[in-house]
Amino acid sequence: EVQLVESGGGLVQPGRSLRLSCTASGFTFGDYAMSWVRQAPGKGLEWVGFIRSKAYGGTTEYAASVKGRFTISRDDSKSIAYLQMNSLKTEDTAVYYCTREDCGGDCYFDYWGQGTLVTVSS
Amino acid sequence: QSVLTQPPSASGTPGQRVTISCSGSSSNIGSNTVNWYQQLPGTAPKLLIYSNNQRPSGVPDRFSGSKSGTSASLAISGLQSEDEADYYCAAWDDSLNGPWVFGGGTKLTVL
């Protein structure tokens, strides 16, 4: 059974940093791209960024709203994806979801974690 | 302001058929496939429709998707109370908006 479990959320002051983890199980982690999607309280979904599998270079892409502040990385030996968030702003307050991106043909987010809440406030 | 446009709300009575629209542009829906996600209250989103009209295993055939030009639609037939949820469309975007863009979401109420 595919499982994605996020951790690392919490309350952080503006300007500080936080690192989220996404621990995967039930599939060959290294074969898939992994994305982060966030949802501000009472709002819709916003794609944050993804990291490709090593077979596709392990490269990353980010939404304009987080580019230069957020960094996604992966440790395939541990089946973990990370989201390093620096220079946090109050508008980064959201539930952060880790998703698996299946690109067998077309691409889509086929599995989602339960999410972890990040609150940026002084 | 979301790149893909959805109506904020929709409603229907049990047994009815409802549709939810998703409007985009040539850089997203016009040139890439559309996926739909269902988010039940208090839970994480779940893949509902992929590649415009494909259902993952376990999704009832009451749910169907279609795409034409730069718009897509999600149809739910035989509406049930457990279908009350938020629905989001998403697509790959070839412009600076992307790569991934979502609709603002549609809250479906079963009356």
mmCIF file of all heavy atoms in Angstrom, chain A residues 98-121:
data_model
loop_
_atom_site.group_PDB
_atom_site.id
_atom_site.type_symbol
_atom_site.label_atom_id
_atom_site.label_comp_id
_atom_site.label_asym_id
_atom_site.label_seq_id
_atom_site.Cartn_x
_atom_site.Cartn_y
_atom_site.Cartn_z
ATOM 1 N N CYS A 98 2.446 16.386 0.542
ATOM 2 C CA CYS A 98 3.419 15.702 -0.318
ATOM 3 C C CYS A 98 2.627 14.822 -1.274
ATOM 4 O O CYS A 98 1.651 14.167 -0.858
ATOM 5 C CB CYS A 98 4.333 14.868 0.584
ATOM 6 S SG CYS A 98 5.351 13.657 -0.240
ATOM 7 N N THR A 99 3.001 14.804 -2.538
ATOM 8 C CA THR A 99 2.283 13.984 -3.502
ATOM 9 C C THR A 99 3.267 13.204 -4.379
ATOM 10 O O THR A 99 4.388 13.670 -4.638
ATOM 11 C CB THR A 99 1.399 14.827 -4.438
ATOM 12 O OG1 THR A 99 2.225 15.472 -5.425
ATOM 13 C CG2 THR A 99 0.624 15.891 -3.695
ATOM 14 N N ARG A 100 2.839 12.053 -4.811
ATOM 15 C CA ARG A 100 3.592 11.289 -5.799
ATOM 16 C C ARG A 100 3.080 11.669 -7.171
ATOM 17 O O ARG A 100 1.869 11.760 -7.398
ATOM 18 C CB ARG A 100 3.414 9.789 -5.585
ATOM 19 C CG ARG A 100 4.322 8.936 -6.443
ATOM 20 C CD ARG A 100 4.103 7.456 -6.211
ATOM 21 N NE ARG A 100 3.009 6.925 -7.016
ATOM 22 C CZ ARG A 100 2.799 5.626 -7.216
ATOM 23 N NH1 ARG A 100 3.598 4.734 -6.655
ATOM 24 N NH2 ARG A 100 1.777 5.219 -7.946
ATOM 25 N N GLU A 101 3.997 11.901 -8.093
ATOM 26 C CA GLU A 101 3.616 12.286 -9.438
ATOM 27 C C GLU A 101 3.843 11.094 -10.369
ATOM 28 O O GLU A 101 4.963 10.657 -10.589
ATOM 29 C CB GLU A 101 4.442 13.494 -9.894
ATOM 30 C CG GLU A 101 3.944 14.126 -11.173
ATOM 31 C CD GLU A 101 4.598 15.475 -11.452
ATOM 32 O OE1 GLU A 101 4.905 16.202 -10.491
ATOM 33 O OE2 GLU A 101 4.798 15.790 -12.634
ATOM 34 N N ASP A 102 2.771 10.570 -10.890
ATOM 35 C CA ASP A 102 2.850 9.443 -11.824
ATOM 36 C C ASP A 102 2.879 10.001 -13.237
ATOM 37 O O ASP A 102 1.961 10.702 -13.649
ATOM 38 C CB ASP A 102 1.642 8.529 -11.636
ATOM 39 C CG ASP A 102 1.768 7.231 -12.426
ATOM 40 O OD1 ASP A 102 2.488 7.202 -13.447
ATOM 41 O OD2 ASP A 102 1.136 6.243 -12.018
ATOM 42 N N CYS A 103 3.947 9.712 -13.962
ATOM 43 C CA CYS A 103 4.071 10.187 -15.340
ATOM 44 C C CYS A 103 4.266 9.007 -16.280
ATOM 45 O O CYS A 103 5.116 9.042 -17.165
ATOM 46 C CB CYS A 103 5.223 11.173 -15.477
ATOM 47 S SG CYS A 103 4.904 12.767 -14.705
ATOM 48 N N GLY A 104 3.485 7.956 -16.085
ATOM 49 C CA GLY A 104 3.587 6.814 -16.975
ATOM 50 C C GLY A 104 3.248 7.185 -18.404
ATOM 51 O O GLY A 104 3.829 6.686 -19.354
ATOM 52 N N GLY A 105 2.267 8.050 -18.559
ATOM 53 C CA GLY A 105 1.892 8.567 -19.883
ATOM 54 C C GLY A 105 1.756 10.048 -19.684
ATOM 55 O O GLY A 105 2.707 10.810 -19.728
ATOM 56 N N ASP A 106 0.529 10.485 -19.383
ATOM 57 C CA ASP A 106 0.328 11.831 -18.872
ATOM 58 C C ASP A 106 0.723 11.853 -17.399
ATOM 59 O O ASP A 106 0.915 10.806 -16.789
ATOM 60 C CB ASP A 106 -1.144 12.233 -19.010
ATOM 61 C CG ASP A 106 -1.602 12.221 -20.453
ATOM 62 O OD1 ASP A 106 -0.839 12.702 -21.325
ATOM 63 O OD2 ASP A 106 -2.712 11.720 -20.720
ATOM 64 N N CYS A 107 0.810 13.055 -16.847
ATOM 65 C CA CYS A 107 1.233 13.172 -15.441
ATOM 66 C C CYS A 107 0.070 13.593 -14.548
ATOM 67 O O CYS A 107 -0.801 14.358 -14.981
ATOM 68 C CB CYS A 107 2.359 14.191 -15.310
ATOM 69 S SG CYS A 107 3.872 13.731 -16.150
ATOM 70 N N TYR A 108 0.105 13.100 -13.329
ATOM 71 C CA TYR A 108 -0.933 13.458 -12.361
ATOM 72 C C TYR A 108 -0.430 13.079 -10.983
ATOM 73 O O TYR A 108 0.498 12.273 -10.836
ATOM 74 C CB TYR A 108 -2.268 12.764 -12.672
ATOM 75 C CG TYR A 108 -2.124 11.317 -13.045
ATOM 76 C CD1 TYR A 108 -2.104 10.316 -12.074
ATOM 77 C CD2 TYR A 108 -1.992 10.933 -14.376
ATOM 78 C CE1 TYR A 108 -1.955 8.986 -12.425
ATOM 79 C CE2 TYR A 108 -1.838 9.608 -14.734
ATOM 80 C CZ TYR A 108 -1.823 8.635 -13.759
ATOM 81 O OH TYR A 108 -1.668 7.319 -14.112
ATOM 82 N N PHE A 109 -1.057 13.661 -9.950
ATOM 83 C CA PHE A 109 -0.712 13.361 -8.563
ATOM 84 C C PHE A 109 -1.601 12.221 -8.101
ATOM 85 O O PHE A 109 -2.776 12.443 -7.781
ATOM 86 C CB PHE A 109 -0.918 14.598 -7.682
ATOM 87 C CG PHE A 109 -0.210 15.834 -8.181
ATOM 88 C CD1 PHE A 109 -0.879 17.025 -8.322
ATOM 89 C CD2 PHE A 109 1.136 15.787 -8.527
ATOM 90 C CE1 PHE A 109 -0.231 18.163 -8.776
ATOM 91 C CE2 PHE A 109 1.790 16.921 -8.989
ATOM 92 C CZ PHE A 109 1.098 18.118 -9.116
ATOM 93 N N ASP A 110 -1.064 11.006 -8.054
ATOM 94 C CA ASP A 110 -1.927 9.867 -7.781
ATOM 95 C C ASP A 110 -2.037 9.503 -6.307
ATOM 96 O O ASP A 110 -2.980 8.812 -5.921
ATOM 97 C CB ASP A 110 -1.539 8.651 -8.622
ATOM 98 C CG ASP A 110 -0.128 8.155 -8.351
ATOM 99 O OD1 ASP A 110 0.653 8.869 -7.694
ATOM 100 O OD2 ASP A 110 0.181 7.032 -8.811
ATOM 101 N N TYR A 111 -1.080 9.917 -5.492
ATOM 102 C CA TYR A 111 -1.189 9.686 -4.052
ATOM 103 C C TYR A 111 -0.794 10.949 -3.306
ATOM 104 O O TYR A 111 0.137 11.665 -3.725
ATOM 105 C CB TYR A 111 -0.292 8.515 -3.605
ATOM 106 C CG TYR A 111 -0.843 7.175 -4.036
ATOM 107 C CD1 TYR A 111 -0.405 6.568 -5.208
ATOM 108 C CD2 TYR A 111 -1.804 6.522 -3.266
ATOM 109 C CE1 TYR A 111 -0.911 5.348 -5.615
ATOM 110 C CE2 TYR A 111 -2.317 5.290 -3.668
ATOM 111 C CZ TYR A 111 -1.871 4.726 -4.848
ATOM 112 O OH TYR A 111 -2.378 3.511 -5.242
ATOM 113 N N TRP A 112 -1.506 11.195 -2.209
ATOM 114 C CA TRP A 112 -1.276 12.376 -1.387
ATOM 115 C C TRP A 112 -1.061 11.951 0.058
ATOM 116 O O TRP A 112 -1.692 11.005 0.545
ATOM 117 C CB TRP A 112 -2.488 13.309 -1.437
ATOM 118 C CG TRP A 112 -2.805 13.878 -2.782
ATOM 119 C CD1 TRP A 112 -3.156 13.196 -3.919
ATOM 120 C CD2 TRP A 112 -2.826 15.250 -3.136
ATOM 121 N NE1 TRP A 112 -3.380 14.057 -4.944
ATOM 122 C CE2 TRP A 112 -3.202 15.334 -4.495
ATOM 123 C CE3 TRP A 112 -2.583 16.437 -2.439
ATOM 124 C CZ2 TRP A 112 -3.315 16.563 -5.172
ATOM 125 C CZ3 TRP A 112 -2.708 17.640 -3.096
ATOM 126 C CH2 TRP A 112 -3.067 17.701 -4.455
ATOM 127 N N GLY A 113 -0.207 12.685 0.764
ATOM 128 C CA GLY A 113 -0.085 12.479 2.193
ATOM 129 C C GLY A 113 -1.231 13.164 2.921
ATOM 130 O O GLY A 113 -2.097 13.789 2.298
ATOM 131 N N GLN A 114 -1.218 13.059 4.237
ATOM 132 C CA GLN A 114 -2.303 13.634 5.038
ATOM 133 C C GLN A 114 -2.091 15.129 5.291
ATOM 134 O O GLN A 114 -3.009 15.821 5.715
ATOM 135 C CB GLN A 114 -2.440 12.889 6.378
ATOM 136 C CG GLN A 114 -1.511 13.360 7.493
ATOM 137 C CD GLN A 114 -0.045 12.978 7.279
ATOM 138 O OE1 GLN A 114 0.290 12.205 6.380
ATOM 139 N NE2 GLN A 114 0.835 13.512 8.126
ATOM 140 N N GLY A 115 -0.892 15.613 5.003
ATOM 141 C CA GLY A 115 -0.599 17.034 5.163
ATOM 142 C C GLY A 115 -0.013 17.378 6.518
ATOM 143 O O GLY A 115 -0.247 16.688 7.513
ATOM 144 N N THR A 116 0.763 18.453 6.547
ATOM 145 C CA THR A 116 1.314 18.975 7.787
ATOM 146 C C THR A 116 1.129 20.490 7.790
ATOM 147 O O THR A 116 1.363 21.138 6.771
ATOM 148 C CB THR A 116 2.792 18.575 7.969
ATOM 149 O OG1 THR A 116 3.235 18.955 9.272
ATOM 150 C CG2 THR A 116 3.699 19.217 6.925
ATOM 151 N N LEU A 117 0.674 21.024 8.917
ATOM 152 C CA LEU A 117 0.333 22.440 9.000
ATOM 153 C C LEU A 117 1.557 23.273 9.361
ATOM 154 O O LEU A 117 2.248 22.978 10.344
ATOM 155 C CB LEU A 117 -0.770 22.653 10.036
ATOM 156 C CG LEU A 117 -1.173 24.110 10.321
ATOM 157 C CD1 LEU A 117 -1.747 24.765 9.062
ATOM 158 C CD2 LEU A 117 -2.182 24.163 11.461
ATOM 159 N N VAL A 118 1.793 24.296 8.572
ATOM 160 C CA VAL A 118 2.836 25.275 8.847
ATOM 161 C C VAL A 118 2.168 26.608 9.122
ATOM 162 O O VAL A 118 1.403 27.099 8.295
ATOM 163 C CB VAL A 118 3.802 25.401 7.648
ATOM 164 C CG1 VAL A 118 4.779 26.551 7.874
ATOM 165 C CG2 VAL A 118 4.549 24.089 7.428
ATOM 166 N N THR A 119 2.446 27.163 10.284
ATOM 167 C CA THR A 119 1.884 28.460 10.659
ATOM 168 C C THR A 119 3.027 29.448 10.829
ATOM 169 O O THR A 119 3.926 29.228 11.657
ATOM 170 C CB THR A 119 1.085 28.363 11.954
ATOM 171 O OG1 THR A 119 0.050 27.382 11.815
ATOM 172 C CG2 THR A 119 0.449 29.706 12.306
ATOM 173 N N VAL A 120 3.009 30.505 10.030
ATOM 174 C CA VAL A 120 4.043 31.531 10.105
ATOM 175 C C VAL A 120 3.435 32.759 10.771
ATOM 176 O O VAL A 120 2.570 33.424 10.204
ATOM 177 C CB VAL A 120 4.584 31.891 8.711
ATOM 178 C CG1 VAL A 120 5.741 32.895 8.843
ATOM 179 C CG2 VAL A 120 5.048 30.633 7.982
ATOM 180 N N SER A 121 3.889 33.018 11.982
ATOM 181 C CA SER A 121 3.311 34.103 12.756
ATOM 182 C C SER A 121 4.278 34.535 13.843
ATOM 183 O O SER A 121 5.038 33.710 14.373
ATOM 184 C CB SER A 121 1.992 33.648 13.388
ATOM 185 O OG SER A 121 1.468 34.632 14.255
#
